[in-house]
Amino acid sequence: MLKYEEIAHKISNLLENEVYSAGDRLPNIEHLKTEYHVSKSTVIKALEILEKNGYIYQSRGSGIFVRSPKREGYINLFTSNGFTEDLKNHEITSRVIEVCEIAKPDAVVRKQLHLTEEEAVYYVKRIRYIDQAVLCIEEAYFSRKLVPYMSGEIAKGSIFKYIEENLKINIGYSDIYFHVDTLNEEEAAILNQSSGAPTLRYEQVFYTKTGVPFDYSQIVFEKTNAKFYIPSIK
Amino acid sequence: MLKYEEIAHKISNLLENEVYSAGDRLPNIEHLKTEYHVSKSTVIKALEILEKNGYIYQSRGSGIFVRSPKREGYINLFTSNGFTEDLKNHEITSRVIEVCEIAKPDAVVRKQLHLTEEEAVYYVKRIRYIDQAVLCIEEAYFSRKLVPYMSGEIAKGSIFKYIEENLKINIGYSDIYFHVDTLNEEEAAILNQSSGAPTLRYEQVFYTKTGVPFDYSQIVFEKTNAKFYIPSIK
């Protein structure tokens, strides 16, 4: 764990144990720096992590405020960490349906991943579960340029962990688009629901820290088990 | 328009006119400071606005990158500005169904707005339209402590504009929770759909810059017209 992650962890523990509660003002950066014997930039980075995860709100001029704790089991859509990371207190598992290389992906995929007609992708289709209940059907397309190897074994676990730790890709940001829709017959059969049942139809493009798209995912969420949270700011 | 808003506006124009396009690296802060003849803190504030709106991604050490432009007509859920502000290129109108004072709001509302049993709220129920098509049914509860006056006239327009400009409340952040659900009979009648049709059921609590909740809203979105976007980061 890096120093700033450690400080973020220490402060989030104080919040979880209600040493500070919603609406409280945290000590300022100078104070935190002294308290934890770290540099100002370490404190700033720690506060950034806490802000993204909805623990705090930093108001220019007014201070650092404690936010209401996130409800249990909701997926934070503001942090692009993948569900495995986001739902740490839950068991996230996957059943791999298909892993293959597509030499000529269709125009939609090419556009989202900024690929030429000659560039290949890996296609991974999985059903993902939260505490053994079905969470979603996920179809992901990985740019072969950035992800030169993929397998069923890798797809069984956290693909993001593999991408970060083995491929050394620095994940930067993602664009999320979604709307409400109904399940088609094939999706309904997989999700054990009736065709026409409500769903959240969701697309996400992940980029590296230097703005290169490497993963385009289309996800269909199960109605009851998928619940979402966004720590929004003005 | 404040200086930093002006700079943000100038840069976003460059992006909209494709002087810079997705994946490009913007000039660094020092360069922007010189180019626009403003202070470093003005540049930093301008970049913050651009980041929230999904125009750019700021990577520590690697620079400032241009993001793919948001698709038209999607609501950015990361900025708590209200739909009027967020869907500027569209006509957002409201039909007011009810405005009233509730002396003793129920426990759910009291909890979200941190109210005692003695504290009243304003209840505002509206149907909101995007380009004359129905967008959602919105039920909002405003803490009387912070919003001492509300009327049908105010509710017809942008309540947030009223809150900021007339009541001088500084809006800080909001918590959003949502899941997919089906419409009940009453909602379906209002949205001109059949009972059981899919919908996004959405809750949002807005806070001031100093962490005081002032608005708790429950929203039911129409399936086809409500589309959402989140500029997410790692």
Side-chain angles (χ1 to χ4, degrees):
Chain A
M1 204 185 266
L2 295 167
K3 196 74 198 166
Y4 68 90
E5 291 172 328
E6 200 185 294
I7 306 301
H9 188 70
K10 278 184 184 166
I11 298 176
S12 68
N13 272 344
L14 295 180
L15 303 180
E16 276 162 12
N17 297 321
E18 292 178 56
V19 175
Y20 293 102
S21 52
D24 284 355
R25 192 194 304 250
L26 277 193
N28 65 22
I29 294 178
E30 284 304 316
H31 185 106
L32 293 169
K33 201 182 112 178
T34 314
E35 186 169 339
Y36 294 108
H37 308 286
V38 292
S39 69
K40 189 173 171 180
S41 78
T42 299
V43 173
I44 290 173
K45 279 190 195 168
L47 294 176
E48 244 173 39
I49 295 185
L50 293 169
E51 191 164 39
K52 274 192 306 205
N53 287 292
Y55 282 109
I56 59 163
Y57 167 71
Q58 302 191 69
S59 168
R60 283 183 182 285
S62 306
I64 306 162
F65 294 90
V66 177
R67 295 181 74 140
S68 298
K70 175 173 90 92
R71 300 181 194 163
E72 239 309 287
Y74 282 73
I75 299 168
N76 180 345
L77 290 184
F78 182 55
T79 54
S80 319
N81 289 322
F83 307 139
T84 316
E85 175 68 18
D86 201 48
L87 297 165
K88 279 197 261 265
N89 300 331
H90 298 266
E91 189 198 6
I92 300 295
T93 50
S94 301
R95 183 154 74 85
V96 181
I97 307 288
E98 193 177 346
V99 175
C100 66
E101 197 178 328
I102 300 176
K104 291 191 181 297
D106 68 27
V108 173
V109 173
R110 284 209 313 272
K111 188 183 168 209
Q112 299 297 339
L113 293 176
H114 304 177
L115 303 178
T116 66
E117 289 202 20
E118 305 309 311
E119 290 175 309
V121 296
Y122 273 112
Y123 169 75
V124 177
K125 183 171 181 176
R126 304 190 289 183
I127 305 175
R128 310 203 68 184
Y129 302 87
I130 177 168
D131 301 329
Q132 268 121 62
V134 62
L135 179 64
C136 63
I137 307 170
E138 179 194 85
E139 295 181 278
Y141 301 85
F142 297 95
S143 172
R144 270 285 265 114
K145 254 189 306 191
L146 282 94
V147 181
Y149 181 70
M150 180 59 67
S151 70
E153 198 50 51
I154 292 165
K156 249 197 258 173
S158 167
I159 295 180
F160 270 33
K161 214 171 156 187
Y162 162 71
I163 282 179
E164 288 190 289
E165 292 178 8
N166 296 64
L167 304 179
K168 308 289 179 205
I169 290 178
N170 286 313
I171 301 171
Y173 59 96
S174 71
D175 293 330
I176 298 172
Y177 289 94
F178 62 89
H179 63 278
V180 169
D181 200 6
T182 49
L183 295 172
N184 65 31
E185 265 183 47
E186 191 197 331
E187 293 160 349
I190 294 175
L191 294 175
N192 235 335
Q193 292 189 15
S194 44
S195 173
T199 187
L200 195 78
R201 204 169 286 281
Y202 176 105
E203 288 172 81
Q204 189 162 16
V205 185
F206 290 93
Y207 299 80
T208 66
K209 279 207 164 176
T210 54
V212 183
F214 66 92
D215 171 8
Y216 169 55
S217 292
Q218 296 172 334
I219 302 178
V220 170
F221 282 101
E222 199 275 341
K223 169 182 170 262
T224 319
N225 300 323
K227 296 177 294 185
F228 305 92
Y229 162 69
I230 307 164
S232 179
I233 58 171
K234 167 85 171 113
Chain B
M1 204 185 265
L2 294 167
K3 197 73 198 162
Y4 67 90
E5 291 172 329
E6 201 185 293
I7 306 300
H9 187 71
K10 278 184 184 166
I11 298 176
S12 68
N13 272 345
L14 294 179
L15 304 180
E16 276 161 13
N17 297 322
E18 292 179 54
V19 175
Y20 294 102
S21 52
D24 284 355
R25 193 193 303 249
L26 277 193
N28 65 23
I29 294 179
E30 285 305 317
H31 185 105
L32 292 169
K33 201 183 112 178
T34 314
E35 186 169 339
Y36 293 108
H37 308 286
V38 291
S39 69
K40 189 173 171 178
S41 78
T42 300
V43 173
I44 290 174
K45 278 189 194 168
L47 294 175
E48 244 174 38
I49 295 185
L50 294 169
E51 192 164 38
K52 271 192 307 204
N53 287 291
Y55 282 108
I56 59 163
Y57 167 71
Q58 301 192 70
S59 168
R60 285 185 180 283
S62 307
I64 306 162
F65 294 89
V66 176
R67 296 182 75 143
S68 298
K70 176 173 89 93
R71 299 181 195 164
E72 239 308 288
Y74 282 75
I75 298 167
N76 180 345
L77 290 184
F78 182 55
T79 53
S80 321
N81 289 321
F83 307 139
T84 317
E85 174 67 19
D86 202 45
L87 296 165
K88 280 197 262 263
N89 301 331
H90 298 267
E91 190 200 6
I92 301 295
T93 49
S94 301
R95 183 154 73 85
V96 181
I97 307 287
E98 192 178 346
V99 174
C100 67
E101 196 178 331
I102 300 176
K104 291 190 181 296
D106 68 28
V108 172
V109 174
R110 283 209 314 271
K111 188 184 169 207
Q112 299 298 339
L113 294 175
H114 304 176
L115 302 178
T116 66
E117 289 202 21
E118 305 310 313
E119 290 174 309
V121 295
Y122 272 113
Y123 170 74
V124 177
K125 183 171 182 176
R126 303 189 291 182
I127 306 176
R128 311 203 66 185
Y129 302 87
I130 176 167
D131 301 328
Q132 266 121 61
V134 61
L135 179 66
C136 63
I137 307 170
E138 180 194 82
E139 296 181 278
Y141 300 86
F142 297 95
S143 171
R144 270 284 266 115
K145 253 190 306 192
L146 282 94
V147 180
Y149 180 70
M150 180 58 67
S151 70
E153 197 51 49
I154 292 165
K156 249 198 256 173
S158 167
I159 295 180
F160 269 34
K161 213 170 157 191
Y162 162 70
I163 283 179
E164 288 189 290
E165 292 177 9
N166 296 63
L167 303 180
K168 308 287 179 208
I169 290 178
N170 286 313
I171 301 171
Y173 60 96
S174 71
D175 294 330
I176 297 172
Y177 289 94
F178 62 89
H179 64 277
V180 169
D181 200 6
T182 48
L183 294 173
N184 65 32
E185 267 183 48
E186 191 196 334
E187 293 159 349
I190 293 175
L191 294 175
N192 236 334
Q193 292 190 14
S194 44
S195 173
T199 187
L200 195 79
R201 204 169 285 282
Y202 177 106
E203 288 172 80
Q204 189 162 17
V205 185
F206 290 93
Y207 300 79
T208 66
K209 279 204 165 181
T210 53
V212 184
F214 66 92
D215 171 8
Y216 169 55
S217 291
Q218 295 173 334
I219 301 179
V220 171
F221 282 100
E222 200 274 343
K223 166 184 173 261
T224 318
N225 301 323
K227 296 176 296 185
F228 305 93
Y229 162 70
I230 307 164
S232 179
I233 57 171
K234 165 87 171 110

